[in-house]
Amino acid sequence: MEGKTGDATDDEEEEEEEEEDEDDDDEDSGAEIEDDDEEGFDDEDEFDDDVEHDDDDLDTEDNELEELEERAEARKKTTEKQSAAALCVGVGSFADPDDLPGLAHFLEHMVFMGSLKYPDENGFDAFLKKHGGSDNASTDCERTVFQFDVQRKYFKEALDRWAQFFIHPLMIRDAIDREVEAVDSEYQLARPSDANRKEMLFGSLARPGHPMGKFFWGNAETLKHEPKKNNIDTHARLREFWMRYYSAHYMTLVVQSKETLDTLEKWVTEIFSQIPNNGLPKPNFGHLTDPFDTPAFNKLYRVVPIRKIHALTITWALPPQQQHYRVKPLHYISWLVGHEGKGSILSYLRKKCWALALFGGNGETGFEQNSTYSVFSISITLTDEGYEHFYEVAHTVFQYLKMLQKLGPEKRIFEEIQKIEDNEFHYQEQTDPVEYVENMCENMQLYPLQDFLTGDQLLFEYKPEVIAEALHQLVPQKANLVLLSGANEGKCDLKEKWFGTQYSMEDVENSWAEMWKNNFKLNPDLHLPAENKYIATDFLLKAFDCPETEYPVKIVNTPQGCLWYKKDNKFKIPKAYIRFHLISPLIQKSAANVVLFDIFVNILTHNLAEPAYEADVAQLEYKLVAGEHGLIIRVKGFNHKLPLLFQLIIDYLADFSSTPAVFTMITEQLKKTYFNILIKPETLAKDVRLLVLEYARWSMIDKYRALMDGLSLESLLSFVREFKSQLFVEGLVQGNVTSTESMDFLKYVVDKLNFRPLEQEMSVQFQVVQLPSGHHLCKVRALNRGDANSEVTVYYQSGTRSLKEYTLMELLVMHMEEPCFDFLRTKQTLGYHVYPTCRNTSGILGFSVTVGTQATKYNSEVVDKKIEEFLSSFEEKIENLTEDAFNTQVTALIKLKECEDTHLGEEVDRNWNEVVTQQYLFDRLAHEIEALKSFSKSDLVSWFKAHRGPGSKMLSVHVVGFGKYELEEDGTPCGEDSNSSCESMQLTYLPTSPLLADSTIPITDIRAFTSTLNLLPYHKIVK
């Protein structure tokens, strides 16, 4: 795929992220192993429940539609989006002083800790939380961005509070020491990420003294201990940095709200004109070109990764390309290099079973594109076989680039890309206001006024000479090769200073180096892509062929499946969303079946990759998800050619096959995937928690073991035959599609797969155990010895509850968010990630508080105690809440639920969640709003107390990292090994220390513990 990354921000987070980009739900087509998304349901898995079968005929009665129409009329409400603002300072980590690495990032944290006008340290966060808002910030190489959103009613006050951070931040000494810990925790969380490690290593190859080689993150060492040793006053230096660089004349500001432009202009002038302007020239690094023009760059680097992966990354450092934004030469090149259709690099490597994925290009982050250079990189995920042939893989890439250089740029291809980008821009759906303003304030730093809105998206002019100039830089002699593999362990004698990455450096093997220097032969299997048949040309909006409804309606209902449908009349764009759930009782029968299902979905995706790639490029996206109880197929994009893609997917599903080579390749990769999920403390903690709560669930460890025990291609093919023979299929179609066309989608699935209906209705949700009263503690060792991160979650089980009680729990958690952050992170500095969550586990309600900490700083039981301390102080806090403060929070939650969808996808996600969980309460939000209006403060207090009383059902899950505050089995302090993981991949239960021994009941064998418990009945939160 052609790569374009952005900053990923976690909803549950307060501050800022500089993390590996997790794939957005639908960002890219392909397969996904359902790592139980905690979104949507706000937790756990997509669960489903009994299917209501009417009779066998199609349900065409209109009365259901009329009833829905009446209900819709009754609650036409006015809703509005959040208001949002973003400010970009034209300075970032490049400006860090040499003796204080990470200062720019630290300042971005510190300016938020109170201002002269509003001195309360957590005041801004508290204000936003109270009014349904959120904020974030991020530091890049040459830019620092701050953004927030809030209910429109409070926008002006929020702007005033926020602006003070740029007018007169307090930055008191006492806060500095505490906030260093947050920066340090963020660095510790970033350490086990291969993407961050690779970036850090890459930067270290820059010429001495070039800012690309700086340590941008900062940590306790660089911002606290070293400065102390060298008598550096960090407080004074922060102030100095702020005065020098946070100057109005290189800030850009974007505000978005439903006020008139005149009003907004008046507010901005009034509020922001006090930001100081020092008149000093903006720091400029443009003269420091060719950061990587060093002999060390053009070598082969072998690197030991954290995750199990083989990957080859080929990188070139080019002159800065930003000024060519009207042509976007790198976009053109990456479009071809990242193509996956016939004649492409990846198509060739897949046929050889050498590679699974390829992405190339420039991610447009400040690290990859700044005033000193632009990167062009090609990353290939290799199979075990591909790792053995990595030089051949690199050679294939060089052959393709040489072919492009020989042919020169082609106008046909440029115009195809231009057409696709134009369509996408013209019919784009609105983005979330806070994302939009963030993007815009950066664009204002990069483009001239007339291109603020379009500069980053459109291709304006075809200049073959500009493209050719970039292309001719991409030659083997100028390339940097990085080979990532666990097989490098023990062979790497060098260590990167900040992240401890083990690596080695060597010359490219002589025979290859000689060949690449000379005029090597082209590869006849590589050629340019053919013309794309999936590009939409019909953008007409269709007429209704049935009554208009506010919510989806069931238009087909047979023993084999049913279909929900809603024609869009709100967003009025020529796009559609198609989602299907193919439900089967076969999947959960054994751990081996769950694994076979994962293998099946991954091979199916592999088989589709080439034929479906053109559709993917033409903005028709698809994703196949191995759900807990069935195969989920998601397709979206311009409706004109969407049926072609949907039928292609179903055809490949119907005629599924696999070669032994592909089977081996995918199973080897799946072992790595499972392993990589298990070594992350946060995903292991979730696996352990759900293993305790959901009876009959197969854990990731069970799956890993079943896979390691070995499965055959025969067993896969027989599993797939059985899976396809008996199903219940449920679909949702929304957008610019008629009901007749929608019925055809379901008909196509039923006709093509030709399956029998399920023998009995299937309850597709797990049964949940009833926790006994008391505080249960399940404490396990993390599986990556090189990782200091621990995860502590304290969960309270509530039980089978009504929709009203669920809403009360949501309100409780909302009240908890800001005090939780303030107590556990700001004051106690336990970790960077701290958050409460409202939990819906297969229909069973609960809530939890989670803290990500480090074993190098805290023992997990100390953290557990602190969470308890927080909850006790919180009880007091809500008892002393004024009715006024209570009502403000209720209003904030109502407003969030009334907030209109910014694009059709949001509405579809919400409706699909009702379908896939078989709850069908499409007007859930209206019921929740109704419930919220009925609550009083005393309801909240007694609800919280009821969960905390003597009969409370608590489960603490600790995944314990490696560091001096945790003990080894023999009672000695735990050391961090650089990179070894526990190959056996089994849970090591740890004993409780005296700190919690008296107050908790240990769980030292999950299966033994849960086998003695009662099961709660199947339950859905619908009444």
Side-chain angles (χ1 to χ4, degrees):
M1 72 179 249
E2 190 244 336
K4 207 170 185 191
T5 56
D7 299 320
T9 305
D10 187 345
D11 290 341
E12 289 170 323
E13 240 339 283
E14 269 321 295
E15 272 283 330
E16 48 102 82
E17 300 277 23
E18 292 184 51
E19 288 205 25
E20 241 182 308
D21 227 38
E22 285 303 337
D23 249 4
D24 173 42
D25 206 23
D26 259 341
E27 197 46 51
D28 215 299
S29 296
E32 149 182 320
I33 289 166
E34 192 70 312
D35 182 16
D36 317 326
D37 259 351
E38 298 241 357
E39 286 308 307
F41 229 15
D42 222 354
D43 192 33
E44 286 27 311
D45 293 65
E46 309 194 301
F47 78 70
D48 330 22
D49 212 329
D50 301 334
V51 181
E52 296 269 1
H53 288 313
D54 292 331
D55 47 50
D56 297 4
D57 294 325
L58 294 181
D59 186 353
T60 52
E61 290 180 37
D62 282 344
N63 57 1
E64 192 182 357
L65 299 177
E66 283 160 29
E67 188 185 305
L68 274 167
E69 277 190 285
E70 284 162 17
R71 292 222 314 262
E73 277 311 304
R75 51 171 292 273
K76 280 273 197 291
K77 54 186 175 22
T78 56
T79 60
E80 59 184 9
K81 292 186 188 68
Q82 298 275 75
S83 297
L87 182 145
C88 180
V89 184
V91 169
S93 300
F94 272 8
D96 276 353
D98 292 335
D99 58 354
L100 277 171
L103 192 67
H105 178 207
F106 189 29
L107 178 60
E108 169 241 297
H109 276 244
M110 281 306 302
V111 292
F112 271 88
M113 316 274 298
S115 63
L116 189 65
K117 184 171 177 183
Y118 302 101
D120 189 15
E121 201 172 283
N122 241 36
F124 185 60
D125 270 345
F127 178 80
L128 291 180
K129 275 281 177 286
K130 211 156 77 187
H131 303 299
S134 63
D135 64 333
N136 216 323
S138 57
T139 307
D140 213 326
C141 294
E142 297 179 293
R143 292 181 294 284
T144 305
V145 179
F146 300 86
Q147 74 272 11
F148 78 89
D149 65 353
V150 75
Q151 284 162 31
R152 178 183 161 194
K153 186 176 168 187
Y154 300 98
F155 189 45
K156 187 181 180 186
E157 185 181 341
L159 278 175
D160 185 47
R161 286 169 172 270
W162 188 61
Q164 301 308 313
F165 300 137
F166 309 105
I167 295 166
H168 205 308
L170 284 182
M171 299 200 278
I172 48 178
R173 273 185 195 276
D174 168 51
I176 288 182
D177 270 357
R178 279 178 287 114
E179 200 55 28
V180 161
E181 294 306 327
V183 171
D184 191 68
S185 276
E186 196 180 340
Y187 155 76
Q188 297 288 353
L189 282 165
R191 274 189 62 144
S193 145
D194 285 324
N196 292 329
R197 293 164 86 91
K198 219 162 91 179
E199 203 167 86
M200 210 63 243
L201 177 60
F202 186 76
S204 73
L205 307 180
R207 285 189 283 121
H210 193 283
M212 279 299 294
K214 291 185 171 185
F215 174 52
F216 304 141
W217 292 84
N219 61 15
E221 199 48 47
T222 67
L223 296 167
K224 188 175 176 177
H225 307 313
E226 280 295 310
K228 233 175 223 150
K229 232 175 21 200
N230 300 323
N231 288 326
I232 293 171
D233 181 350
T234 312
H235 177 253
R237 297 288 291 277
L238 272 169
R239 285 223 83 81
E240 198 179 296
F241 193 94
W242 181 84
M243 287 170 80
R244 168 64 185 90
Y245 295 122
Y246 276 44
S247 177
H249 64 308
Y250 36 83
M251 290 179 178
T252 47
L253 172 70
V254 180
V255 295
Q256 176 178 329
S257 186
K258 281 200 173 163
E259 275 65 34
T260 64
L261 288 176
D262 289 349
T263 305
L264 288 174
E265 185 178 0
K266 187 167 154 282
W267 288 359
V268 167
T269 316
E270 203 175 290
I271 293 170
F272 289 88
S273 53
Q274 294 161 289
I275 295 181
N277 179 344
N278 60 27
L280 294 169
K282 179 176 163 178
N284 180 4
F285 301 91
H287 58 292
L288 300 170
T289 48
D290 302 321
F292 296 102
D293 187 11
T294 69
F297 186 75
N298 311 117
K299 303 258 187 206
L300 166 65
Y301 286 82
R302 292 179 190 266
V303 175
V304 181
I306 294 288
R307 295 176 306 152
K308 273 206 174 166
I309 186 169
H310 301 303
L312 174 69
T313 303
I314 307 173
T315 309
W316 290 267
L318 312 182
Q321 298 292 311
Q322 180 60 42
Q323 76 268 29
H324 301 308
Y325 76 91
R326 297 185 66 78
V327 184
K328 298 193 171 50
L330 300 188
H331 188 38
Y332 173 91
I333 300 167
S334 61
W335 180 275
L336 292 170
V337 167
H339 208 279
E340 298 181 20
K342 282 194 174 56
S344 66
I345 300 172
L346 188 58
S347 166
Y348 176 79
L349 296 176
R350 275 187 175 137
K351 286 192 180 74
K352 289 270 202 189
C353 280
W354 285 352
L356 293 146
L358 176 155
F359 55 95
N362 181 302
E364 293 175 21
T365 59
F367 190 85
E368 297 195 14
Q369 176 147 295
N370 54 54
S371 60
T372 76
Y373 93 121
S374 283
V375 89
F376 188 85
S377 70
I378 300 170
S379 277
I380 304 164
T381 307
L382 304 172
T383 59
D384 294 357
E385 186 81 354
Y387 168 71
E388 298 300 329
H389 293 92
F390 77 91
Y391 273 120
E392 283 96 327
V393 171
H395 186 59
T396 309
V397 172
F398 295 148
Q399 286 178 310
Y400 191 87
L401 288 168
K402 185 171 178 182
M403 172 196 76
L404 294 185
Q405 289 154 358
K406 276 209 154 127
L407 293 172
E410 292 229 353
K411 195 165 190 191
R412 162 184 80 85
I413 287 174
F414 184 88
E415 284 172 350
E416 191 172 284
I417 303 171
Q418 193 175 37
K419 178 83 194 116
I420 287 169
E421 298 293 358
D422 279 354
N423 285 349
E424 190 53 27
F425 184 80
H426 192 98
Y427 297 104
Q428 70 185 324
E429 300 183 64
Q430 288 195 17
T431 46
D432 190 6
V434 75
E435 286 171 28
Y436 189 70
V437 292
E438 178 190 1
N439 193 34
M440 234 13 77
C441 74
E442 288 206 68
N443 282 2
M444 290 167 71
Q445 298 266 350
L446 296 169
Y447 306 106
L449 175 64
Q450 68 275 16
D451 297 330
F452 282 175
L453 302 177
T454 51
D456 57 343
Q457 286 183 58
L458 299 183
L459 279 68
F460 299 90
E461 51 198 18
Y462 177 59
K463 286 192 174 170
E465 68 284 2
V466 172
I467 297 171
E469 191 182 342
L471 249 181
H472 284 293
Q473 309 262 349
L474 307 179
V475 293
Q477 309 69 291
K478 289 187 174 181
N480 165 269
L481 273 60
V482 172
L483 183 63
L484 235 71
S485 170
N488 295 328
E489 193 144 5
K491 303 177 195 162
C492 294
D493 48 348
L494 302 170
K495 202 170 183 179
E496 188 277 318
K497 178 177 178 183
W498 298 108
F499 280 44
T501 311
Q502 296 172 337
Y503 70 99
S504 69
M505 174 178 96
E506 62 195 72
D507 288 330
V508 168
E509 212 169 88
N510 207 13
S511 55
W512 289 104
E514 281 308 307
M515 188 196 303
W516 292 336
K517 252 190 241 153
N518 299 313
N519 191 10
F520 53 90
K521 277 213 289 286
L522 292 180
N523 182 335
D525 291 327
L526 301 176
H527 56 80
L528 292 176
E531 205 161 318
N532 191 326
K533 65 173 185 290
Y534 286 98
I535 297 177
T537 51
D538 173 5
F539 301 110
L540 285 176
L541 294 180
K542 301 183 176 189
F544 280 84
D545 64 347
C546 64
E548 189 181 340
T549 61
E550 188 176 358
Y551 299 110
V553 177
K554 195 187 275 193
I555 57 170
V556 181
N557 195 14
T558 73
Q560 283 171 301
C562 63
L563 183 74
W564 297 85
Y565 164 76
K566 179 180 181 280
K567 164 94 170 74
D568 170 59
N569 199 25
K570 179 180 174 188
F571 296 96
K572 298 184 168 50
I573 49 160
K575 292 183 179 179
Y577 286 73
I578 307 166
R579 297 195 175 173
F580 275 88
H581 190 194
L582 282 57
I583 299 165
S584 161
L586 189 63
I587 302 166
Q588 289 293 339
K589 281 198 172 140
S590 67
N593 276 15
V594 181
V595 177
L596 288 168
F597 184 53
D598 279 344
I599 295 171
F600 159 55
V601 175
N602 277 282
I603 293 179
L604 179 56
T605 303
H606 173 83
N607 293 347
L608 272 165
E610 186 170 308
Y613 186 75
E614 287 188 354
D616 188 36
V617 165
Q619 257 96 19
L620 303 183
E621 294 170 28
Y622 69 96
K623 191 154 215 150
L624 305 176
V625 181
E628 301 279 7
H629 306 284
L631 171 63
I632 296 167
I633 299 172
R634 296 200 291 241
V635 185
K636 71 168 188 183
F638 290 114
N639 55 272
H640 180 200
K641 304 285 177 92
L642 206 56
L644 289 178
L645 174 61
F646 182 75
Q647 289 162 9
L648 180 77
I649 293 169
I650 302 303
D651 293 350
Y652 269 76
L653 172 60
D655 307 327
F656 179 83
S657 65
S658 174
T659 62
V662 168
F663 176 79
T664 305
M665 168 173 94
I666 295 292
T667 48
E668 285 308 310
Q669 190 56 26
L670 199 56
K671 286 176 190 171
K672 298 186 178 87
T673 303
Y674 287 172
F675 179 91
N676 295 338
I677 289 171
L678 285 168
I679 59 170
K680 286 186 177 161
E682 65 275 22
T683 38
L684 181 61
K686 178 169 185 178
D687 200 43
V688 169
R689 175 170 50 82
L690 293 186
L691 190 56
V692 174
L693 297 174
E694 292 181 333
Y695 197 69
R697 151 186 275 281
W698 301 103
S699 73
M700 190 54 81
I701 290 190
D702 295 329
K703 287 163 67 172
Y704 186 72
R705 287 227 193 97
L707 185 55
M708 295 308 275
D709 288 345
L711 296 161
S712 66
L713 176 55
E714 289 63 50
S715 63
L716 173 73
L717 296 173
S718 96
F719 170 84
V720 174
R721 270 195 305 278
E722 205 182 328
F723 171 80
K724 288 193 300 186
S725 69
Q726 214 173 1
L727 295 165
F728 184 77
V729 175
E730 200 156 12
L732 170 71
V733 179
Q734 277 193 242
N736 189 33
V737 200
T738 64
S739 66
T740 319
E741 289 169 327
S742 299
M743 290 181 199
D744 289 344
F745 290 123
L746 179 62
K747 188 176 181 317
Y748 197 83
V749 177
V750 173
D751 292 353
K752 197 79 195 175
L753 295 179
N754 191 16
F755 54 89
R756 302 191 309 281
L758 297 182
E759 273 149 37
Q760 60 207 62
E761 294 182 0
M762 172 176 160
S763 178
V764 277
Q765 89 193 83
F766 292 108
Q767 253 188 297
V768 175
V769 300
Q770 180 165 17
L771 288 176
S773 299
H775 185 175
H776 297 81
L777 169 62
C778 185
K779 191 173 165 187
V780 300
R781 172 76 70 211
L783 295 170
N784 172 10
R785 290 197 73 88
D787 192 347
N789 290 297
S790 297
E791 185 91 356
V792 177
T793 295
V794 180
Y795 166 82
Y796 284 77
Q797 187 177 65
S798 184
T800 52
R801 300 292 188 168
S802 67
L803 186 122
K804 189 171 175 176
E805 289 164 318
Y806 175 83
T807 312
L808 186 54
M809 188 68 91
E810 260 194 300
L811 182 66
L812 176 72
V813 167
M814 195 175 181
H815 269 280
M816 222 183 260
E817 280 175 355
E818 191 278 327
C820 174
F821 185 85
D822 187 48
F823 184 92
L824 296 169
R825 177 174 152 171
T826 309
K827 304 238 178 3
Q828 300 289 335
T829 67
L830 296 178
Y832 181 73
H833 285 291
V834 303
Y835 53 90
T837 314
C838 178
R839 299 267 178 210
N840 173 352
T841 311
S842 282
I844 305 304
L845 188 60
F847 76 91
S848 66
V849 176
T850 300
V851 174
T853 189
Q854 285 84 35
T856 45
K857 297 180 182 175
Y858 293 101
N859 178 284
S860 69
E861 295 189 22
V862 170
V863 173
D864 197 301
K865 275 268 210 243
K866 290 287 184 195
I867 293 174
E868 176 52 39
E869 204 178 304
F870 158 66
L871 290 168
S872 303
S873 70
F874 177 70
E875 187 169 324
E876 199 178 313
K877 200 176 174 91
I878 55 170
E879 282 181 323
N880 297 328
L881 209 61
T882 62
E883 284 298 333
D884 217 22
F886 172 79
N887 292 331
T888 305
Q889 199 78 63
V890 170
T891 310
L893 190 50
I894 289 175
K895 284 276 189 247
L896 277 177
K897 290 184 185 293
E898 283 179 344
C899 205
E900 61 182 326
D901 297 317
T902 46
H903 57 91
L904 179 58
E906 274 183 58
E907 185 188 309
V908 174
D909 282 342
R910 198 171 49 247
N911 290 335
W912 177 241
N913 195 50
E914 295 297 330
V915 173
V916 88
T917 58
Q918 294 186 346
Q919 296 182 97
Y920 312 121
L921 192 66
F922 297 109
D923 58 348
R924 182 177 298 275
L925 288 172
H927 292 288
E928 291 175 343
I929 289 165
E930 234 16 74
L932 280 166
K933 289 176 178 167
S934 71
F935 295 139
S936 67
K937 180 194 135 177
S938 61
D939 292 333
L940 187 73
V941 175
S942 47
W943 175 250
F944 182 63
K945 284 186 156 170
H947 287 86
R948 299 262 303 153
S952 74
K953 303 171 171 59
M954 286 169 72
L955 169 67
S956 285
V957 174
H958 297 195
V959 171
V960 178
F962 294 81
K964 63 182 180 188
Y965 285 96
E966 298 292 352
L967 300 178
E968 290 284 8
E969 280 70 36
D970 62 5
T972 57
C974 208
E976 267 189 280
D977 286 7
S978 56
N979 257 24
S980 64
S981 301
C982 318
E983 278 302 326
S984 65
M985 280 292 154
Q986 51 196 6
L987 291 180
T988 306
Y989 295 94
L990 299 172
T992 315
S993 79
L995 193 62
L996 288 182
D998 296 340
S999 54
T1000 58
I1001 304 148
I1003 299 174
T1004 51
D1005 178 339
I1006 293 175
R1007 293 267 191 244
F1009 171 70
T1010 55
S1011 64
T1012 63
L1013 304 181
N1014 294 330
L1015 295 182
L1016 290 162
Y1018 286 116
H1019 180 68
K1020 291 189 277 190
I1021 302 177
V1022 288
K1023 290 192 176 62

